[in-house]
């Protein structure tokens, strides 16, 4: 019953056999060894398992591995390959994470937003992050950090 | 915040703080403490490299799963594991008969069986642990275990539990215990009061909802059983595991993986004992175990739902004269830390207000609901919602401004709280004044865009005794060491659950020794390496472990000064250590680096290591009266103000503005202090507006984040923080702590604002749109 799939994971082509009912999150973590997407709720509520699928954020706990055959996946392991990105740097500077468990999802949601909209408003940031739960902070330093990246980018233009 | 010394208390306070520092020439501004240094574990968190419990798994390990009870209350007649054991891939099935220790656990009273043998008391009770080659096989095997039960009547409410003929959940009955507080003659004073208000407030069951699910691994090599699971007090967990499984303490090693939040939810032991049993049975194998979100919610303890009957009496001018309070506390199935949470309720019954006559009674009642135990705020959260709620009702009845009523009755330095303990540095008034000024209380506007939208303003003032108190031994230990490569290592079993303990410790060491922050290497939470530092709870780590760390650092510094003095042939009291270099203050040209100090120290026979122990005593509360001259080591004060908008057609409450002020003594890292305040307020908003574990017939109806609603980025306003720094004599650099108070002060402030908006109090939490709408609609 296994099916062979090929994905481009963090710029690297990987082929592997998966069962038709294998959840992408589990395949990423257990078979492909990419641990930054986290298991938090297992049903799309918390956003901790977020990755970029062809540049768009998805919840990997809601996707079957067979669905991503031929697609491109980026996780934090790929995003940080050539050092911290501006959004990661800004999140650090703003003390945006406490326990850090939501960080992978937050970073990728922010990355997607800034890719589409280089200087988002506070409200646009809230909309982009509204699917990522954080139990430690009050979200404020996350908003500030992402808005600050946008402001910096705006100045450069 | 330097202020003129205007009383003896403060002068003594400064003296105590100063005595921890070892050099006579250290009066300059702080270099590391008080700075918002970047979190030392921040980069690995932002890049996703941090390894939490679930990240320690590998396919080559064995996987365990736990069988839970099928009834909330039943006798166990028979457990048949034969079919499960036959399933290919199953390695072991463990039940109570395999447990060689006491098979019991529980933080204060060991009343819970690890694997139940005769009886189950709630649906999270465990009966068996299956170990298999994969998690899927283990789950399948669970379904093959046959358990014969004799169901007993489910006791789901405190009323049912207290009926004289109620079936007994525990052999000793359905009452866990009682707490009593008697200060003055409250009934007599109440009779003479000009105005009396009375109400019943019911708080709900709340889940910690930390995102990082319980997960970890264990391995027994025949000599040492190593358990890597996030807890909140490794040394106590080690004691509990040792007793339960029958292995000597010396053969148990607990290591804390990175931890994604705790909030009291990791205080009761979770998967540690199951993993230990499996590892002990399968020597040489690594066993992994994780909970799903629903299992996590079903198994774990919760915040106590409390029903608080509160009667408050005052003179015509608003002066409080008496309070009579009865707390009914739903304990759920097991004791957990309930008796301590109950005592927190009685000892904080009137919060920061001066009430000469207080009678409080707390009764903890067993039911077949989830056990309740520690959660951020620990009994003080429910209590604050009650006393502040009654202050609002009193203000309405007196026709008095609710801020004025509070201000009139707040304790000042030198006044006593409910327990009779004199508080030398009571700063509730200062906090309250700060938030009233910020929100511009006198000029608050009730104007809204439409008639169905009503605005309201709420305030709260709280005090909170930190640490365990009540005479319970409460100690933190820490060790500092200078390594050959010139690093100052600090060892502590304090746990960074996300709050920022790692920086708190490192910044104190850097400041105290006189080295840059990057020269400090914290080594945390590994029972083999780090000394016991008590629990990471009760807002105690900064105060207790921070002090232990400062003492150890101070002792180490003395050694370094001795080394430098000997080597440079200078007087020791003229040796300064600054920016990682030792020199004579009057001849700063000749300097020794940390590496040189380490080399010289070793040559001269110095240990280059120092231990710090901090164990300030408290006095047990009298069992009949709850009075104690020192119920807690110190008190924290805070005050919140907020503005809400209620849609009277839908019952929705929007928090429009939020201001929080806390006196933290000294902010070791201001950004982290603000993070704690904002996070606490967010959890408080969640508790009063949306969060509720819905129990039906002993079953959690919403065991996941689809129906257990948590605040998102859309639900939280900007939280304006005011941090006051009145130094505490017992804390490191004057610091007190900040973990719990922001959550405690939030609930009552939001409830107060809703009452202001709709003109009626909400008596049952949470204030969901439906409940608010129904309250508005009631005639």
């Amino acid at each position: 019953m296994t099916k062979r799939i090929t994905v481009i994971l963090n710029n690297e082509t990987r082929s592997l056999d998966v069962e038709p009912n294998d959840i992408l999150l589990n395949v990423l973590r257990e078979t492909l060894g990419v641990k930054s997407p986290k298991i938090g709720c297992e049903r799309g509520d918390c956003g901790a398992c977020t990755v970029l699928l062809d540049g768009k954020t998805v919840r990997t706990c809601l996707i079957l591995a067979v669905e991503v055959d031929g697609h491109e996946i980026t996780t934090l392991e790929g995003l940080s390959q050539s050092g911290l990105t501006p959004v990661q740097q800004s999140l650090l500077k703003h003390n945006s994470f406490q326990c850090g468990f939501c960080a992978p999802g937050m970073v990728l949601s922010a990355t997607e937003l800034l890719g589409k909209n280089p200087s988002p408003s506070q409200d646009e940031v809230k909309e982009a992050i509204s699917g990522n739960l954080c139990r430690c902070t009050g979200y404020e330093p996350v908003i500030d950090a992402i808005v600050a990246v946008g402001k910096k980018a705006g100045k450069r233009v | 915040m330097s202020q003129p010394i205007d009383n003896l208390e403060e002068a003594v306070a400064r003296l105590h703080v100063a005595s921890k520092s070892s050099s006579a020439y250290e009066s300059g501004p702080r270099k590391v403490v008080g700075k918002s240094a970047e979190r030392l574990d921040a980069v690995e968190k932002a890049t996703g490299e941090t390894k939490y419990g679930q990240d320690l798994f590998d396919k080559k390990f064995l996987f365990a799963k736990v069988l839970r009870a099928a009834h909330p209350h039943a006798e166990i007649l028979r457990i048949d594991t034969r079919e499960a054991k036959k399933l290919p891939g199953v390695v072991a099935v463990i039940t109570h008969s395999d447990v060689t220790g006491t098979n019991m656990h529980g933080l204060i009273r060991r009343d819970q069986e690890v694997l139940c043998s005769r009886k189950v008391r709630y649906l999270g009770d465990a009966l068996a642990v299956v170990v298999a080659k994969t998690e899927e096989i283990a789950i399948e095997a669970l379904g093959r275990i046959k358990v014969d039960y004799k169901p007993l009547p489910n006791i789901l409410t405190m009323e049912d539990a207290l009926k004289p003929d109620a079936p007994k959940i525990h052999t000793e009955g359905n009452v866990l215990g009682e707490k009593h507080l008697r200060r003055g003659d409250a009934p007599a004073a109440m009779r003479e009061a000009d105005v009396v208000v009375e109400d019943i407030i019911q708080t709900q069951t709340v889940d910690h909802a930390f995102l990082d699910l319980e997960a970890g691994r264990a391995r027994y090599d025949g000599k040492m059983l190593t358990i890597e699971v996030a807890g909140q007090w490794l040394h106590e967990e080690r004691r509990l595991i040792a007793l339960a499984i029958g292995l000597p303490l010396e053969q148990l090693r607990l290591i804390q993986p990175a931890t994604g939040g705790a909030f009291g939810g990791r205080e009761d032991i979770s998967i540690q004992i199951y993993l230990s049993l499996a590892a002990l049975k399968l020597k040489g194998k690594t066993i992994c175990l994780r909970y799903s979100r629903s299992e996590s919610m079903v198994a774990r303890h919760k915040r106590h739902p409390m029903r608080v009957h509160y009667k408050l009496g005052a003179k015509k001018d608003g002066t409080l004269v008496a309070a009579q309070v009865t707390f009914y506390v739903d304990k759920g199935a097991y004791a957990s830390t309930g008796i301590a949470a109950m005592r927190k309720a009685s000892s904080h019954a009137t919060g920061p207000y001066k009430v000469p006559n207080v009678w409080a009674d707390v009764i903890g009642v067993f039911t077949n609901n989830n056990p309740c135990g520690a959660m951020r705020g620990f009994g003080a959260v429910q209590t604050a919602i009650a006393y502040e709620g009654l202050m609002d009702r009193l203000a309405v009845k007196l026709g008095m401004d609710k801020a004025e009523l509070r201000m009139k009755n707040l304790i000042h330095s030198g006044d006593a709280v409910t327990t009779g303990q004199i508080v030398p540095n009571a700063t509730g008034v200062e906090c309250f004044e700060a938030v009233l000024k910020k929100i511009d209380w006198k000029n608050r506007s009730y104007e809204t865009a439409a008639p169905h939208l009503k605005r309201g303003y709420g305030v709260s003032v709280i005090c909170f005794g930190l640490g365990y108190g009540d005479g319970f031994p409460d100690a933190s230990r820490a060790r500092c060491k200078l390594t050959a490569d010139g690093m100052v290592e600090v060892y502590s079993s304090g746990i960074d659950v996300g709050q920022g303990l790692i920086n708190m410790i490192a910044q104190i060491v850097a400041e105290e020794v006189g080295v840059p922050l990057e020269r400090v290497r914290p080594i945390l939470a590994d029972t083999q390496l780090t000394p016991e530092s008590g629990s990471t709870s009760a807002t105690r780590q900064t105060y207790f472990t921070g002090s232990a760390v400062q003492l150890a650092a101070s002792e180490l510094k003395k050694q370094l000064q001795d080394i430098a003095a000997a080597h440079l042939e200078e007087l020791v009291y003229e040796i300064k250590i600054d920016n990682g270099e030792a020199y004579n203050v009057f001849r700063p040209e000749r300097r020794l680096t940390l590496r040189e100090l380490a080399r010289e120290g070793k040559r001269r026979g110095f240990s280059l290591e120092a231990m710090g122990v901090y164990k300030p005593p408290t006095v047990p509360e009298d069992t009949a009266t709850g009075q104690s001259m020192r119920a807690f080591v110190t008190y924290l004060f805070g005050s919140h103000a907020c503005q809400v908008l209620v849609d009277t057609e839908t019952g929705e409450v929007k928090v429009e503005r939020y201001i929080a002020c806390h006196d933290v003594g000294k902010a070791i890292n201001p950004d982290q202090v603000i993070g704690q305040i904002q996070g606490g307020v967010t959890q408080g908003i969640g508790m009063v507006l949306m969060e509720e574990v819905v129990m039906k017939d002993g079953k959690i109806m919403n065991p996941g984040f689809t129906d257990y609603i948590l605040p998102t980025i859309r639900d939280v306003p900007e939280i304006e923080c005011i941090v006051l720094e009145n130094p505490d004599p017992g804390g490191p650099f004057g610091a007190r702590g900040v973990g719990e108070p922001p959550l405690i002060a939030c609930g009552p402030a939001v409830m107060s604002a809703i009452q202001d908006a709709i003109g009626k109090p909400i008596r049952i939490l949470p204030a969901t749109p439906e409940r608010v709408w129904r309250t508005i609609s009631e005639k």
Side-chain angles (χ1 to χ4, degrees):
Chain A
M1 280 287 278
T2 59
K3 184 180 186 315
R4 189 145 195 92
I5 63 166
T6 301
V7 292
I8 302 164
L9 175 63
N10 297 326
N11 300 321
E12 196 186 324
T13 304
R14 307 277 295 263
S15 290
L16 65 155
D17 294 327
V18 296
E19 296 289 335
N21 61 345
D22 278 347
I23 304 287
L24 178 57
L25 175 59
N26 297 338
V27 169
L28 282 172
R29 291 177 53 86
E30 287 158 26
T31 312
L32 295 166
V34 168
K35 302 267 191 182
S36 74
K38 298 286 176 251
I39 309 166
C41 69
E42 304 154 308
R43 51 195 207 190
D45 295 321
C46 77
C49 68
T50 302
V51 305
L52 296 177
L53 179 66
D54 301 330
K56 287 183 182 152
T57 53
V58 291
R59 307 266 181 273
T60 52
C61 70
L62 297 179
I63 293 181
L64 295 172
V66 288
E67 293 180 82
V68 300
D69 187 19
H71 292 270
E72 194 176 333
I73 295 172
T74 306
T75 68
L76 279 197
E77 285 84 349
L79 196 73
S80 314
Q81 269 166 0
S82 44
L84 294 173
T85 63
V87 71
Q88 284 171 317
Q89 284 169 14
S90 187
L91 288 160
L92 292 184
K93 201 172 143 233
H94 285 82
N95 188 39
S96 306
F97 303 128
Q98 291 187 24
C99 85
F101 198 81
C102 69
M106 293 273 187
V107 170
L108 291 173
S109 293
T111 302
E112 181 194 30
L113 170 70
L114 291 163
K116 290 187 302 198
N117 179 356
S119 334
S121 68
Q122 212 183 58
D123 206 57
E124 287 165 336
V125 171
K126 284 189 181 182
E127 187 54 35
I129 302 295
S130 60
N132 292 84
L133 289 176
C134 167
R135 188 60 158 165
C136 300
T137 73
Y139 298 102
E140 205 170 302
V142 178
I143 303 171
D144 293 347
I146 300 169
V147 170
V149 178
K151 281 193 181 148
K152 228 174 162 180
K155 270 181 207 153
R156 241 182 266 140
V157 170
Chain B
M1 296 229 162
S2 217
Q3 285 156 0
I5 293 170
D6 55 12
N7 62 42
L8 187 63
E9 245 358 293
E10 208 171 314
V12 172
R14 277 152 197 259
L15 209 62
H16 277 267
V17 174
S19 71
K20 277 184 191 156
S21 281
S22 51
S23 170
Y25 293 95
E26 305 264 325
S27 55
R30 303 282 175 216
K31 293 198 163 174
V32 192
V33 158
K35 300 284 190 294
S36 293
E38 188 176 282
R39 206 173 274 265
L40 295 176
D41 56 5
V43 172
E44 61 179 55
K45 281 178 174 171
T47 55
E49 288 162 86
T50 304
K51 296 276 176 280
Y52 300 89
Q54 61 179 233
D55 303 323
L56 305 174
F57 292 9
D58 194 289
K59 276 189 166 175
K60 64 178 185 270
F61 300 150
L62 296 175
F63 284 83
K65 288 303 278 186
V66 180
L67 181 72
R68 305 279 166 192
H71 299 272
H73 197 198
E75 279 175 32
I76 301 164
L77 302 176
R78 195 174 63 104
I79 306 172
D80 183 350
T81 61
R82 283 172 298 181
E83 288 303 312
K85 282 176 177 161
K86 280 185 206 158
L87 185 70
V90 169
V91 183
V93 181
I94 302 163
T95 64
H96 65 89
S97 56
D98 302 296
V99 183
T100 47
T102 63
N103 190 30
M104 299 299 289
H105 72 100
L107 274 172
I108 293 176
R109 184 187 290 186
R110 284 190 289 281
D111 65 346
Q112 187 168 3
E113 282 189 300
V114 176
L115 297 175
C116 294
S117 62
R118 290 183 299 277
K119 196 177 175 183
V120 291
R121 295 179 175 87
Y122 83 113
L123 286 172
D125 259 331
L127 289 100
V129 176
V130 171
V131 187
K133 285 186 174 154
T134 68
E135 202 174 23
E136 293 72 27
I137 297 171
I139 291 167
E140 195 184 337
L142 290 183
R144 294 191 177 204
I145 300 174
K146 291 195 195 82
V147 184
D148 294 337
Y149 293 98
K150 180 189 165 199
L152 300 166
N154 295 338
I155 312 286
L156 304 170
T157 64
M158 292 190 274
E159 285 81 0
D160 284 350
L162 292 173
K163 280 179 185 157
D165 58 344
K168 288 180 176 175
I169 294 170
H170 291 272
T171 40
E172 56 272 34
N174 293 342
V175 174
L176 163 69
E178 297 177 25
K179 283 280 165 192
H180 305 287
L181 188 132
R182 294 288 177 272
R183 180 169 171 75
D185 188 344
M190 196 69 78
R191 281 192 295 274
E192 283 164 27
D194 297 327
V195 187
V196 174
V197 285
E198 191 171 3
D199 212 342
I200 299 171
I201 291 168
Q202 171 80 54
T203 68
Q204 79 279 36
T205 310
V206 181
D207 191 87
H208 311 84
F210 45 70
L211 292 187
D212 174 19
L213 290 159
E214 292 91 340
R217 67 184 181 194
R219 185 171 182 274
Y220 180 55
D221 63 8
K223 286 181 187 147
M224 185 67 81
L225 203 170
T226 304
I227 303 145
E228 293 167 88
V229 173
Q232 286 185 243
W233 187 357
L234 293 189
H235 288 78
E236 182 63 18
E237 285 146 23
R238 187 170 66 160
R239 285 188 278 275
L240 288 174
I241 297 167
L243 287 166
I245 72 168
L247 200 67
L249 274 182
E250 305 78 56
Q251 285 181 257
L252 283 164
R253 176 181 189 178
L254 273 73
I255 302 170
Q256 182 91 1
T259 309
F263 318 118
R266 301 187 202 267
E267 255 185 80
D268 285 6
I269 211 153
S270 63
I271 60 174
Q272 294 94 329
I273 309 185
Y274 310 134
L275 274 172
S276 303
L277 288 170
L280 198 58
K281 191 168 178 107
L282 300 162
K283 201 168 95 176
K285 302 283 185 194
T286 300
I287 323 286
C288 301
L289 173 55
R290 65 175 170 190
Y291 285 171
S292 65
R293 178 56 62 185
S294 64
E295 187 175 14
S296 168
M297 285 186 79
V298 167
R300 188 168 12 88
H301 64 278
K302 303 282 177 270
R303 185 193 292 289
H304 294 91
M306 291 193 190
R307 197 169 61 212
V308 191
H309 295 233
Y310 210 117
K311 196 171 174 183
L312 189 62
K315 290 184 196 165
K316 273 191 200 114
D317 68 355
T319 308
L320 297 174
V321 294
Q324 284 175 279
V325 199
T326 310
F327 298 87
Y328 294 91
V329 179
D330 187 342
K331 272 305 317 147
Y334 293 101
S336 178
T337 45
I339 205 83
M342 287 160 58
R343 175 246 168 189
K344 201 107 196 185
S346 60
S347 61
H348 289 71
T350 54
Y353 300 111
K354 197 161 41 173
V355 190
N357 303 284
V358 186
W359 284 22
D361 299 285
V362 194
I363 176 166
V365 184
F366 287 119
T367 63
N368 295 120
N369 296 321
N370 264 63
C372 292
M375 185 173 174
R376 195 176 189 180
F378 201 61
V381 167
Q382 301 93 326
T383 308
I385 288 168
Y387 65 68
E388 286 294 64
L390 268 288
M391 288 298 274
D392 279 358
R393 289 159 180 71
L394 183 63
V396 170
K397 195 155 181 182
L398 286 164
M400 198 170 167
D401 179 90
K402 61 186 174 187
E404 189 190 333
L405 175 69
R406 282 171 169 83
M407 200 59 92
K408 191 180 188 77
N409 288 288
L410 280 171
I411 62 167
H412 292 84
S413 298
D415 290 336
V417 286
T418 324
T419 54
Q421 179 176 351
I422 304 288
V423 180
N425 204 359
T427 55
V429 171
E430 211 178 313
C431 294
F432 194 31
E433 281 171 347
V435 298
L436 291 176
K437 188 177 169 205
K438 185 109 180 167
I439 206 163
D440 198 7
W441 184 253
K442 289 264 184 289
N443 301 311
R444 58 195 189 278
S445 160
Y446 287 88
E447 206 174 300
T448 62
H452 71 284
L453 299 174
K454 302 282 185 200
R455 182 159 287 127
Y457 293 84
V459 288
S460 70
V461 193
I462 61 119
C463 72
F464 181 75
L466 72 79
Y468 312 137
D470 202 16
F472 191 84
D474 196 348
S476 274
R477 293 165 185 81
R479 199 167 69 240
C480 276
K481 182 178 163 185
L482 180 67
T483 67
D485 62 344
M487 292 294 286
V488 180
E489 287 182 341
V490 51
Y491 295 77
S492 158
S493 293
I495 289 166
D496 199 314
V497 292
Q499 82 282 43
L501 176 133
I502 187 169
N503 270 57
M504 181 273 286
I505 284 178
Q507 289 184 233
I508 287 173
V509 170
E511 184 72 53
E512 185 65 34
V513 182
V515 302
L517 187 57
E518 56 272 17
R519 302 306 295 178
V520 181
R521 186 186 291 146
I523 292 158
L524 299 178
D526 175 342
T527 56
Q528 215 54 13
L529 302 174
T530 56
E532 173 152 7
S533 307
S535 67
T536 297
S537 69
T539 310
R540 62 178 291 289
Q541 282 296 333
T542 297
Y543 197 83
F544 283 77
T545 302
S547 292
V549 159
Q550 191 183 8
L551 288 165
S554 171
E555 285 300 310
L556 178 65
K557 181 176 189 172
K558 281 176 195 158
Q559 283 194 32
L560 304 187
Q561 286 172 312
D562 283 340
I563 295 163
H567 186 74
L568 299 171
E569 296 179 327
E570 299 280 10
L571 294 168
V572 69
Y573 54 82
E574 290 177 355
I575 298 290
K576 187 177 171 76
I577 300 177
D578 183 34
N579 203 25
E581 290 181 320
Y583 55 90
N584 181 305
V585 278
F586 304 111
R587 283 176 289 278
E589 314 78 47
R590 294 172 62 215
R591 289 166 179 254
L592 281 174
T593 64
L594 290 170
R595 272 170 194 265
E596 288 164 341
L597 284 167
R599 198 178 54 226
E600 267 313 300
K602 198 172 176 211
R603 195 172 69 79
R604 291 170 187 266
F606 284 85
S607 72
L608 297 171
E609 259 192 70
M611 188 85 187
V613 182
Y614 193 61
K615 194 180 178 186
T618 54
V619 178
E621 290 166 11
D622 182 88
T623 46
T625 65
Q627 299 297 290
S628 162
M629 62 183 287
R630 202 182 191 212
F632 290 97
V633 288
T634 193
Y635 279 88
L636 291 154
F637 289 83
S639 177
H640 291 190
C642 67
Q643 174 187 322
V644 303
L645 192 68
V646 181
D647 184 328
T648 56
E649 287 177 357
T650 63
E652 281 171 292
V653 177
K654 183 177 193 284
V655 183
E656 295 181 306
R657 192 168 179 213
Y658 207 98
I659 296 155
C661 174
H662 290 273
D663 186 349
V664 302
K666 172 75 192 171
I668 304 290
N669 182 313
D671 272 2
Q672 290 190 177
V673 166
I674 287 166
Q676 285 291 292
I677 295 173
Q678 292 177 335
V681 168
T682 302
Q683 288 185 0
I685 289 173
M687 177 177 170
V688 291
L689 294 185
M690 59 195 87
E691 293 180 37
E692 180 173 22
V693 176
V694 180
M695 306 279 315
K696 194 181 172 202
D697 300 329
K699 188 177 180 193
I700 297 180
M701 305 308 287
N702 52 346
F705 296 158
T706 310
D707 312 308
Y708 185 87
I709 309 297
L710 295 166
T712 71
I713 204 163
R714 283 281 184 210
D715 301 303
V716 190
E718 184 192 340
I719 297 155
E720 301 163 54
C721 300
I722 305 166
V723 178
L724 298 183
E725 295 183 307
N726 289 294
D728 188 285
F733 298 100
R736 297 191 197 194
V738 70
E740 291 165 281
L743 171 48
I744 300 167
C746 175
V750 177
M751 295 301 279
S752 170
I754 298 171
Q755 170 169 354
D756 190 35
I758 68 173
K760 291 176 184 176
I762 305 279
R763 295 186 170 83
I764 302 172
L765 269 69
T768 55
E770 183 184 340
R771 197 164 275 141
V772 172
W773 181 82
R774 282 187 191 283
T775 305
I776 294 167
S777 311
E778 275 165 18
K779 286 277 158 1

